[in-house]
Amino acid sequence: MKEYEHIETFNPKECLSGQISRINRLTATIFRKYISPFKVTNSQLTLLFILSKHNTLNQMQLSTIAKLEKSSLHRNIKRLVDSNYVSKADFPLLQLTNDGKKLVNTIIPEWEKAMTEIREIIGTEGESSIHQIHQNLISKT
Amino acid sequence: MKEYEHIETFNPKECLSGQISRINRLTATIFRKYISPFKVTNSQLTLLFILSKHNTLNQMQLSTIAKLEKSSLHRNIKRLVDSNYVSKADFPLLQLTNDGKKLVNTIIPEWEKAMTEIREIIGTEGESSIHQIHQNLISKT
DNA sequence: ATAAATAAGTTGTATATACAACTTATTTAT
DNA sequence: ATAAATAAGTTGTATATACAACTTATTTAT
């Protein structure tokens, strides 16, 4: 029988979605190792990092910067507000609380360690490739 | 006040975890556009693809190949069994059902279109960088 | 052959994410 | 200034993921 002819000839290992997802899971695990002792997640830290460089942002701005769907962003922020790292005092503007700033400042050295560990695995070329791919996706999407 | 000195000097845009997560979200959205009409998710398709190239695998083998934590794998497989794309008839061995094979064979051309769209964005260099980074992470982790 | 040790599989729990549908706020025509 | 249109924010729902703790199956010493 010559059914399923595509299956025989295709190469699923090429799948960019599969490869990128695996890259994401493996690198996330490394970052988590350094970050989780602070009781914050990788995604949460990304948002705290963005907020640490902007005085105030509304949800739409944050979702555009983080490339996160607005409903995902909404719930991530809710957790950060519940943990008292982000303030909605000036709603709809969001800003880091003092606790949030202190946490970011404290985590940065550990984050650097995670960055170093990843760089040792993917190399400087890997790092600049990621940057390039990221830029292309940001600008062409 | 000279508190939070790290915040002033660090550059969160460098964060490899942040960049990779964003790359993952953006590329997943492109793949989803082609794949979701078949009522299957990107993660599910990855597992179906792997199974399509192996007669049988147990959960441990699949989780090693997919780099998925065993409990995550377990529940992904459960959904595929519920959809009748994977059979547990030979448990603990898993295998594609005929429906599963037919689905994979049908989706491959659409998957190719998704691959083409991503390649147009990240380029051939991007694609081979992803492959290289993926290899490094697989072998050094 | 059996006990002890290890591996594989399962379930509970929390967070992350997207999409659809909805509500509330803001902006734009008239 | 008000109505209509658009944008921002919220909630419901389903899937994805990891970690911890547990149970069941398999393997390894004795």
Side-chain angles (χ1 to χ4, degrees):
Chain A
M1 52 175 177
K2 50 162 53 83
E3 309 172 83
Y4 316 136
E5 78 274 25
H6 294 133
I7 290 182
E8 289 157 46
T9 54
F10 94 129
N11 181 9
K13 289 181 187 167
E14 288 180 3
C15 182
L16 285 161
S17 182
Q19 288 184 66
I20 291 168
S21 297
R22 246 168 298 189
I23 289 170
N24 188 44
R25 287 198 294 273
L26 294 167
T27 53
T29 298
I30 294 172
F31 271 87
R32 196 179 299 117
K33 187 173 64 182
Y34 292 92
I35 301 309
S36 67
F38 298 94
K39 298 295 174 197
V40 80
T41 67
N42 298 344
S43 295
Q44 287 168 7
L45 186 61
T46 297
L47 298 179
L48 294 175
F49 274 8
I50 293 170
L51 283 167
S52 79
K53 288 291 187 175
H54 294 82
N55 281 332
T56 58
L57 291 173
N58 62 29
Q59 291 187 34
M60 202 57 220
Q61 292 171 315
L62 244 184
S63 113
T64 301
I65 295 170
K67 301 287 170 189
L68 253 186
E69 211 275 336
K70 62 187 178 176
S71 64
S72 306
L73 182 100
H74 182 262
R75 280 178 256 222
N76 288 172
I77 286 294
K78 183 179 183 316
R79 289 174 202 113
L80 292 169
V81 170
D82 290 347
S83 308
N84 194 35
Y85 295 134
V86 169
S87 166
K88 277 190 165 181
D90 238 319
F91 188 84
L93 296 182
L94 306 170
Q95 57 195 312
L96 287 190
T97 60
N98 284 335
D99 280 2
K101 288 181 194 169
K102 198 186 296 184
L103 178 72
V104 169
N105 200 60
T106 306
I107 287 185
I108 288 170
E110 289 302 304
W111 167 76
E112 291 281 9
K113 289 183 194 167
M115 289 287 284
T116 298
E117 183 167 338
I118 304 268
R119 284 187 183 111
E120 280 165 0
I121 295 168
I122 70 173
T124 313
E125 323 78 64
E127 184 175 14
S128 54
S129 300
I130 290 291
H131 184 70
Q132 184 63 57
I133 291 164
H134 183 252
Q135 279 301 119
N136 283 340
L137 279 161
I138 294 294
S139 59
K140 302 181 190 174
T141 308
Chain B
M1 52 177 178
K2 52 163 53 81
E3 309 172 82
Y4 316 135
E5 76 276 25
H6 294 133
I7 292 182
E8 289 158 46
T9 54
F10 94 127
N11 181 9
K13 290 182 187 169
E14 287 181 7
C15 182
L16 284 162
S17 180
Q19 288 184 67
I20 291 167
S21 296
R22 245 167 301 189
I23 289 169
N24 188 44
R25 287 198 295 273
L26 293 168
T27 54
T29 298
I30 294 171
F31 270 88
R32 195 179 300 117
K33 187 172 64 180
Y34 292 92
I35 302 309
S36 67
F38 298 92
K39 297 296 175 199
V40 80
T41 66
N42 298 343
S43 294
Q44 288 169 7
L45 186 60
T46 297
L47 298 179
L48 294 177
F49 274 7
I50 293 170
L51 283 166
S52 79
K53 289 290 185 176
H54 294 82
N55 282 330
T56 59
L57 291 173
N58 63 28
Q59 290 187 35
M60 203 54 220
Q61 292 170 315
L62 244 183
S63 113
T64 302
I65 295 170
K67 302 289 172 189
L68 254 186
E69 212 276 337
K70 62 185 176 176
S71 64
S72 306
L73 182 99
H74 182 262
R75 280 179 256 222
N76 288 174
I77 286 294
K78 183 178 183 315
R79 289 174 203 114
L80 292 169
V81 171
D82 290 349
S83 310
N84 194 38
Y85 295 134
V86 170
S87 166
K88 278 189 165 181
D90 237 319
F91 188 83
L93 297 181
L94 306 170
Q95 57 195 311
L96 287 190
T97 60
N98 284 336
D99 280 2
K101 287 181 194 169
K102 198 185 299 186
L103 179 71
V104 169
N105 199 60
T106 305
I107 288 185
I108 289 171
E110 290 302 305
W111 167 77
E112 291 281 9
K113 289 183 194 168
M115 289 288 283
T116 300
E117 182 167 338
I118 304 267
R119 283 187 183 112
E120 280 165 0
I121 295 169
I122 69 174
T124 313
E125 323 80 62
E127 184 174 12
S128 55
S129 300
I130 290 292
H131 184 72
Q132 184 63 57
I133 290 164
H134 182 251
Q135 280 302 118
N136 283 339
L137 279 160
I138 294 294
S139 60
K140 302 180 188 172
T141 308

